[in-house]
Amino acid sequence: MSMPILAALPLLAVLAASPQDADAAWNVCRAASSYDLTLGSGLTFERAAPAPRRVEMRDGRLRVDGAPAALNAEDSDRVALFERNVRTLVPQVKTLAERGADLAAQAVRAQVASIAPAAAADPQFDARLAARTRELKARIAASTSTKDWQGEALDTYAQNVAADVLPIVGADVAQQALDLAMQGDLAGAAALKDRAADLQPELEARIRARLRTLEPDARRLCPTLRELDRLEAGIGARLPGGPLQLIEIAR
């Protein structure tokens, strides 16, 4: 399933959150979609399979796999309202996502401070993490398609974050372990290395805890998602191919 732009917190997975937490508002609202969404002069929903593979909405008009749909006045109003609601929802989602990026960065700082305090105090570490957070928030703000957050682009971003911050953390941990070993505390040095090996799962847990604070705001998006589902069902009820299933809400 593609990660919809309607889902809050896109791309937080690059900061080591799990996909389900990165998709927090989507899960909170029990919604799902198999389509990618692109916003332009209209709305374009696309997926590889099954049909319909491409659904376009613009100014109350609807095209399904390239063919214009014959709509009555009521359905045309539904399409126009669906598009308007999506365009209203997306800025709210982006704001939530940007807040999530800040929270995730705070979690990274806190986790690093707990295991490598010298690295956390290093201005270079803070500058690099801050720069990556700004980059992420800028990408969220500029994004017009869920395609921006998938596959190779996501992997590359994650690798860039790791390449920026992990060497600083690793150097601090190595120095601490060496100092302990030189003092004869081999057990302490081994324990520190074990703690460093657990950095990722501990970081994931810390990020999840921070992102949970956004759940009340994420829940405020649910009525709009349910309304979109209702409008879509009304449109699809009279289409020859049946419901479009752009959004599905688990009951």
Side-chain angles (χ1 to χ4, degrees):
M1 178 183 297
S2 61
M3 185 181 292
I5 202 169
L6 299 179
L9 313 183
L11 246 194
L12 290 186
V14 304
L15 295 176
S18 62
Q20 58 265 38
D21 292 307
D23 221 1
W26 204 245
N27 284 344
V28 164
C29 299
R30 298 174 61 82
S33 177
S34 58
Y35 288 88
D36 274 311
L37 169 62
T38 300
L39 280 73
S41 55
L43 306 182
T44 302
F45 295 87
E46 298 171 287
R47 65 182 177 185
R53 294 179 175 84
R54 183 180 177 92
V55 178
E56 300 165 84
M57 296 181 175
R58 182 177 179 182
D59 299 329
R61 301 188 299 274
L62 177 69
R63 296 179 67 88
V64 181
D65 285 340
L71 303 177
N72 59 28
E74 184 179 0
D75 284 338
S76 182
D77 287 343
R78 286 192 180 100
V79 171
L81 183 56
F82 187 101
E83 182 178 356
R84 186 159 61 249
N85 284 352
V86 169
R87 292 188 183 278
T88 298
L89 183 62
V90 167
Q92 299 175 48
V93 169
K94 287 187 174 186
T95 296
L96 193 61
E98 290 168 14
R99 287 173 56 199
D102 285 330
L103 289 172
Q106 291 172 19
V108 171
R109 288 190 180 92
Q111 184 65 28
V112 170
S114 72
I115 189 172
D122 188 333
Q124 190 176 36
F125 168 79
D126 190 68
R128 289 180 179 181
L129 182 58
R132 287 300 179 185
T133 303
R134 287 194 301 271
E135 179 186 345
L136 173 57
K137 292 169 69 175
R139 288 189 62 187
I140 291 169
S143 177
T144 59
S145 176
T146 61
K147 296 175 184 178
D148 297 339
W149 308 105
Q150 296 178 21
E152 187 175 334
L154 183 61
D155 292 339
T156 299
Y157 189 89
Q159 291 166 11
N160 289 341
V161 172
D164 273 354
V165 303
L166 291 185
I168 299 173
V169 177
D172 185 16
V173 171
Q175 185 60 53
Q176 289 184 65
L178 178 61
D179 291 343
L180 289 171
M182 293 293 289
Q183 297 166 17
D185 187 359
L186 299 181
L192 181 62
K193 291 179 180 179
D194 289 343
R195 177 81 191 282
D198 291 335
L199 177 63
Q200 181 171 332
E202 288 186 11
L203 179 56
E204 289 177 0
R206 195 182 289 265
I207 290 177
R208 282 196 295 270
R210 298 261 181 162
L211 294 185
R212 286 192 193 102
T213 65
L214 294 178
E215 282 192 9
D217 295 310
R219 290 185 187 281
R220 294 188 183 100
L221 306 179
C222 297
T224 302
L225 287 169
R226 288 193 290 267
E227 173 66 4
L228 290 172
D229 185 45
R230 185 189 68 80
L231 289 168
E232 177 198 353
I235 298 165
R238 286 180 292 278
L239 292 178
L244 299 173
Q245 296 182 322
L246 302 176
I247 296 175
E248 299 179 70
I249 308 290
R251 305 302 180 187

